[in-house]
Amino acid sequence: MKVFALARVLQLAERRSETLSRSVKFAHGIWLRARGHQVQLVALRDARIAQLAGELRAGVTAARLQETNRLQQVQAAEMRAAQDAIDAAHQAWQARLAEWMQVEQRVKALRLLEQRHLAHLAVQQRRTEQREHDELVELMHRREAGTREAWDAA
């Protein structure tokens, strides 16, 4: 019985697929955490805006207003950095996902080849069994015919 010639290739491709699957999940987690960080920054910004609105009603000094303006600029920079982190994480996630999908297609193709190989082996095995059965039946018919001739001669 012939062994599937690409069995080792299939095994390695399956391992690679599993590794990439974990990598995709990890990259997705990074992307989700980056989005969560952005949500936290937006909530912090909104809280500071509400606080500033309350302070502005009561009146603030110029120094306090400058400090608040500087903090808002820092927040805006943090928001841009958070968006850049989200974009980078999303791009990394999508790249890993595309690579995993490519490897997964290869695994599927190799599994299909393995199934075809096994089906071919099964057909060969059935043919061999049928041939052996036919030879055995033919041998039995010859023996019966030889036995009949011996009875008829006697």
Side-chain angles (χ1 to χ4, degrees):
M1 188 161 162
K2 291 171 64 177
V3 176
F4 180 53
L6 297 174
R8 181 70 179 148
V9 174
L10 174 59
Q11 183 183 27
L12 291 173
E14 287 173 336
R15 283 186 187 167
R16 176 90 174 119
S17 177
E18 291 169 5
T19 302
L20 285 173
S21 175
R22 287 189 294 275
S23 175
V24 167
K25 290 175 185 175
F26 180 74
H28 186 253
I30 291 172
W31 177 66
L32 288 175
R33 283 190 294 280
R35 288 188 61 193
H37 180 67
Q38 184 186 39
V39 167
Q40 288 174 346
L41 288 175
V42 168
L44 183 59
R45 182 196 66 191
D46 292 346
R48 285 183 180 165
I49 288 173
Q51 179 186 9
L52 179 62
E55 290 177 8
L56 285 175
R57 284 189 206 109
V60 293
T61 64
R64 174 70 177 132
L65 192 55
Q66 285 178 340
E67 178 63 20
T68 302
N69 190 24
R70 190 191 65 75
L71 285 175
Q72 284 180 337
Q73 289 174 353
V74 169
Q75 269 186 326
E78 287 178 350
M79 291 290 290
R80 284 190 298 277
Q83 186 59 50
D84 291 345
I86 289 171
D87 294 342
H90 188 266
Q91 186 177 18
W93 171 43
Q94 291 300 308
R96 288 178 180 169
L97 182 62
E99 185 181 2
W100 172 77
M101 290 173 68
Q102 188 177 26
V103 169
E104 191 62 22
Q105 286 297 323
R106 184 171 186 219
V107 168
K108 287 179 184 178
L110 288 167
R111 284 181 182 153
L112 179 63
L113 288 174
E114 181 183 40
Q115 288 174 352
R116 288 180 182 173
H117 172 75
L118 293 174
H120 180 70
L121 287 179
V123 167
Q124 284 181 331
Q125 181 66 28
R126 284 193 299 272
R127 286 180 182 166
T128 302
E129 290 171 359
Q130 185 64 45
R131 189 177 330 108
E132 289 173 355
H133 178 266
D134 292 346
E135 289 171 358
L136 183 60
V137 168
E138 184 178 337
L139 181 63
M140 288 176 54
H141 284 301
R142 285 184 189 165
R143 284 185 182 166
E144 284 180 13
T147 305
R148 286 183 191 154
E149 289 177 9
W151 281 94
D152 291 341

